Amino acid sequence: MEAELAARYGIPDQETDKPTAENADVYLIARDTAGNATGCGALRLLPDGTAEIKRMYVTPQARGTDVATSILRNLEEHARRRGLDTVQLTTGDKQPDAIRFYEREGYERTDGYGPYAGHPMAVCMARRLA
């Protein structure tokens, strides 16, 4: 994931707020029938009572196979079980495929939050969970 983002943006990974085992509530890894990892995503609980989707990534060969949707829905369900009603995330302005995916899945653009407030490349989005 970091190599792909570095190639898109022409800079090394700039994320300063990476999830860790200590601050991620859940980290999911999708695997194919042979056991190979095909995607991942994490959910971090935030102090304001929302959750943040982090590190969503699907390998190029698994894109278009509903792996991303499955990971996203499982992360959202985990947030619901925790009693949360909003999930937010940040992607980048040079990731139109990710932006389209999240918009298709019901996410709407929002103002920046936390370390992404005012960041020129950040595209922040949120979804209210039913």
Side-chain angles (χ1 to χ4, degrees), residues 1-9 11-13 15 18-19 27 39-42 53-60 63 90-91 95 102:
M1 180 175 84
E2 290 180 9
E4 185 174 323
L5 292 175
R8 282 189 190 217
Y9 290 92
I11 55 176
D13 185 15
E15 186 178 16
K18 291 183 182 183
Y27 189 85
C40 61
I53 306 270
K54 299 293 287 181
R55 308 312 267 185
M56 277 284 297
Y57 180 75
V58 174
T59 60
R63 292 176 187 162
T90 301
T91 188
Q95 295 169 263
Y102 291 121

Side-chain angles (χ1 to χ4, degrees), residues 42-105:
L43 186 75
R44 181 183 354 207
L45 305 180
L46 299 177
D48 68 356
T50 64
E52 181 182 26
I53 306 270
K54 299 293 287 181
R55 308 312 267 185
M56 277 284 297
Y57 180 75
V58 174
T59 60
Q61 63 271 24
R63 292 176 187 162
T65 65
D66 290 329
V67 169
T69 303
S70 179
I71 292 169
L72 185 63
R73 292 296 175 243
N74 277 282
L75 291 171
E76 291 169 346
E77 183 55 32
H78 186 81
R80 276 188 205 91
R81 287 193 307 266
R82 298 293 251 150
L84 303 173
D85 64 3
T86 302
V87 177
Q88 58 189 349
L89 59 87
T90 301
T91 188
D93 63 347
K94 293 185 180 179
Q95 295 169 263
D97 45 345
I99 295 167
R100 280 190 308 274
F101 167 73
Y102 291 121
E103 287 175 341
R104 185 187 79 218
E105 298 302 321

Side-chain angles (χ1 to χ4, degrees), residues 99-120:
I99 295 167
R100 280 190 308 274
F101 167 73
Y102 291 121
E103 287 175 341
R104 185 187 79 218
E105 298 302 321
Y107 285 75
E108 297 177 354
R109 292 184 192 218
T110 63
D111 292 333
Y113 61 91
Y116 310 108
H119 193 289

